[in-house]
Amino acid sequence: MVIEDLNTKGMSAAVKPKPDPGQPGRFLRNGAAAKSGLNKAILDKGWYGLEVALRSKARYTGSAIHKINPAYTSQTCPEPACGKVDEKSRKSIQAIFSCTSCGHTQHADIVGARNTKTKGQAAGLVVSGRGDPRGSAKRQAPRSTARAEHAARAAAQRHGNPRPFRAGSRSIRGPG
C-alpha cells in the first residue's frame, strides 16, 4: 500500500503576523481567520489516525505500507500519454481536475490517488493489479504460540473450564 507522506503539522501552522509599516505596533490583515478554518478542516480529517489504522491492519495481513512524496500528485495528468504537470489543471482547490494539455477531466481525488499509485509503482513499492498479491486477503499473521496459550488459559479460567489447556488446540470448550 502506498500513502502520501503529508506534513499535517506544517500544513496547519499558524499564519505569521504582518506588521503595518505606517503604524508601528499595528498589524495588516493576513488571512488568519481563513487559515484558521482551513487548519480546523485539515486536523478534523484525522489523517494520522487513518495511517495508524492502516498500519494496524497491514500487520495482520502481512501487507506493507510505504509513504511517498505527495508533490504534484494532484496537478499531474494521470494519462500515460500526457503526464503534464500544470497547476492550472486545478482551477481551484475544489474537486475538478481538467488537464490543460490533453483535456482529460476527472475528480481531483481520483487523479491524486492514481498518481500516488503510479509513483509507488515507479519506486517498485506497489504490485500491479487488484487484490492481495499473496492470494488471500483474509490471511492473518500467525500469533505467538506462548501468547496464544496464555490467552487460552486465561479464557478457560474466566469461564470456569475444569479441563486443562492442550497445546495445539484452537478452541476451548466451556462447561457442559
Side-chain angles (χ1 to χ4, degrees):
M1 236 183 284
V2 179
I3 58 175
E4 293 180 334
D5 188 11
L6 298 175
N7 178 10
T8 54
K9 186 174 182 179
M11 291 167 62
S12 60
V15 179
K16 294 181 181 174
K18 291 182 185 178
D20 188 353
Q23 299 176 347
R26 308 243 358 187
F27 296 92
L28 299 173
R29 291 184 169 269
N30 61 356
K35 179 66 173 150
S36 172
L38 177 63
N39 290 349
K40 287 178 185 174
I42 289 170
L43 296 173
D44 184 45
K45 299 300 180 222
W47 288 325
Y48 179 74
L50 174 65
E51 179 186 341
V52 169
L54 284 173
R55 288 193 182 280
S56 175
K57 290 295 181 185
R59 259 190 20 230
Y60 289 106
T61 61
S63 301
I65 295 191
H66 303 282
K67 289 183 167 184
I68 62 157
N69 184 358
Y72 307 110
T73 54
S74 65
Q75 297 176 359
T76 304
C77 182
E79 292 300 311
C82 182
K84 180 172 170 83
V85 178
D86 187 6
E87 65 182 34
K88 294 176 186 168
S89 293
R90 295 282 306 270
K91 292 181 177 49
S92 69
I93 298 186
Q94 297 304 315
I96 301 297
F97 174 88
S98 182
C99 182
T100 56
S101 179
C102 71
H104 175 79
T105 302
Q106 197 170 20
H107 193 283
D109 291 340
I110 294 174
V111 169
R114 286 178 65 186
N115 288 330
T116 300
K117 180 181 176 185
T118 302
K119 278 186 170 185
Q121 286 173 332
L125 303 173
V126 176
V127 177
S128 298
R130 295 180 175 262
D132 186 23
R134 296 170 318 278
S136 172
K138 294 183 180 180
R139 185 182 330 161
Q140 292 189 351
R143 291 174 61 174
S144 157
T145 307
R147 196 170 88 195
E149 287 179 4
H150 175 65
R153 281 193 188 105
Q157 288 173 356
R158 275 195 309 271
H159 297 294
N161 189 351
R163 291 180 224 141
F165 173 75
R166 289 181 293 130
S169 172
R170 290 232 176 229
S171 64
I172 298 176
R173 289 183 236 152

